[in-house]
Amino acid sequence: MRLILLGPPGAGKGTQAKMLNEKFGRPQISTGNILRKSIQEGTELGCRAKVLMNEGKLVQDDIVVGLIRERIIEEDCQNGFILDGFPRTINQAEKLAETLNNMNLSIDAVVDFEVSTEELLHRLTGRSTCSGCGAMFHIASCPPLKKGICDSCGKALYQREDDNRETIKKRLEVYENETTPLREYYRKQGNLKTIQGSGSVEKIFSKVCLMVS
Ligand code: AMP
């Protein structure tokens, strides 16, 4: 199972990738999470990425392609992986195809989550994330039992620096300009599967499972 989850920020890729990981045991590879970890650790990569991420812009293709190339050759990726937030440009998709081709591998499915801009804005502005396990909460639709604390692991919740209205608008604009051409790219290859990303997380997950298994 080698999957790509495509869709704008807030479409639910991270949530569905986490659920797929729990059900099928394939690692979730989120370039956003890898970059945020580098920022936390204060690495050179983190310092370079931080400014761009806080402005809602994309990190350079060669950086994220390098991260993916290193990650997918790890032992736990042997039976597949779930790419969450990568690729985000045609160039990244081409580099990924080239890398996989050299390994005699290919992508099995690309799941594209469709959600209205209004709903994305609502989701992202009210979103908080667990600093421990990465679980997601929403101030209105999925509040934690105890304010600021994760229901699952008890660690503190935080709001991402780029989850503010101004940066969200930029991220959505960047998505529209740079990432939506990937739909056509994967449609032409015959492995694009489009799914309505609004509604209950569990119902969406059932549909995703049918699409990928
Ligand atoms: P995400 O967690 O997927 O919403 O990503 C957060 C931010 O990390 C994005 O707004 C970009 O600045 C950066 N980022 C994550 N993945 C990529 C990628 N594949 N290409 C370029 N930048 C990325």
Side-chain angles (χ1 to χ4, degrees), residues 31-32 35-36 53 57-59 64 85-86 88 92 160:
T31 34
L35 292 165
R36 276 185 290 279
M53 288 173 76
K57 295 179 184 160
L58 293 185
V59 173
V64 284
F86 182 94
R88 262 171 150 104
Q92 290 179 19
R160 275 173 46 172

Side-chain angles (χ1 to χ4, degrees), residues 87-112:
R88 262 171 150 104
T89 64
I90 295 280
N91 182 39
Q92 290 179 19
E94 286 173 349
K95 293 277 160 54
L96 173 67
E98 193 184 299
T99 306
L100 290 176
N101 206 22
N102 289 338
M103 298 162 81
N104 280 326
L105 300 174
S106 59
I107 291 295
D108 300 312
V110 179
V111 183
D112 180 30

Side-chain angles (χ1 to χ4, degrees), residues 147-181:
K147 198 175 167 217
I149 301 293
C150 177
D151 292 353
S152 314
C153 75
K155 293 262 167 63
L157 302 182
Y158 71 97
Q159 192 171 22
R160 275 173 46 172
E161 277 193 50
D162 57 353
D163 277 350
N164 63 75
R165 201 161 268 274
E166 196 191 334
T167 313
I168 291 167
K169 283 204 170 141
K170 179 71 188 167
R171 285 159 66 202
L172 294 176
E173 190 188 304
V174 168
Y175 183 80
E176 192 58 37
N177 295 336
E178 314 241 14
T179 310
T180 53

Side-chain angles (χ1 to χ4, degrees), residues 25-207:
R26 307 294 187 269
Q28 167 192 11
I29 306 180
S30 154
T31 34
N33 286 349
I34 298 174
L35 292 165
R36 276 185 290 279
K37 190 159 173 269
S38 302
I39 294 176
Q40 247 178 15
E41 290 167 352
T43 64
E44 196 193 322
L45 163 67
C47 294
R48 285 173 68 190
K50 188 175 177 170
V51 182
L52 291 164
M53 288 173 76
N54 286 347
E55 286 177 356
K57 295 179 184 160
L58 293 185
V59 173
Q60 292 87 340
D61 284 350
D62 57 336
I63 294 184
V64 284
V65 168
L67 291 175
I68 290 293
R69 280 189 176 145
E70 279 174 21
R71 183 64 186 87
I72 63 175
I73 55 170
E74 284 182 36
E75 181 78 30
D76 64 336
C77 291
Q78 271 195 359
N79 293 320
F81 45 75
I82 304 147
L83 294 180
D84 158 18
F86 182 94
R88 262 171 150 104
T89 64
I90 295 280
N91 182 39
Q92 290 179 19
E94 286 173 349
K95 293 277 160 54
L96 173 67
E98 193 184 299
T99 306
L100 290 176
N101 206 22
N102 289 338
M103 298 162 81
N104 280 326
L105 300 174
S106 59
I107 291 295
D108 300 312
V110 179
V111 183
D112 180 30
F113 295 87
E114 279 189 348
V115 180
S116 73
T117 306
E118 198 186 337
E119 186 163 347
L120 293 173
L121 280 168
H122 169 77
R123 285 186 188 179
L124 291 167
T125 47
R127 176 166 90 166
S128 56
T129 309
C130 174
S131 56
C133 67
M136 306 270 207
F137 295 86
H138 189 276
I139 195 163
S141 53
C142 179
L145 294 170
K146 206 170 156 199
K147 198 175 167 217
I149 301 293
C150 177
D151 292 353
S152 314
C153 75
K155 293 262 167 63
L157 302 182
Y158 71 97
Q159 192 171 22
R160 275 173 46 172
E161 277 193 50
D162 57 353
D163 277 350
N164 63 75
R165 201 161 268 274
E166 196 191 334
T167 313
I168 291 167
K169 283 204 170 141
K170 179 71 188 167
R171 285 159 66 202
L172 294 176
E173 190 188 304
V174 168
Y175 183 80
E176 192 58 37
N177 295 336
E178 314 241 14
T179 310
T180 53
L182 286 179
R183 282 196 200 127
E184 205 41 45
Y185 176 87
Y186 286 117
R187 188 174 290 125
K188 277 190 189 147
Q189 295 186 5
N191 46 11
L192 186 79
K193 296 170 194 293
T194 303
I195 186 164
Q196 277 306 317
S198 37
S200 114
V201 167
E202 287 74 21
K203 279 194 186 147
I204 296 169
F205 184 59
S206 308
K207 287 191 210 158

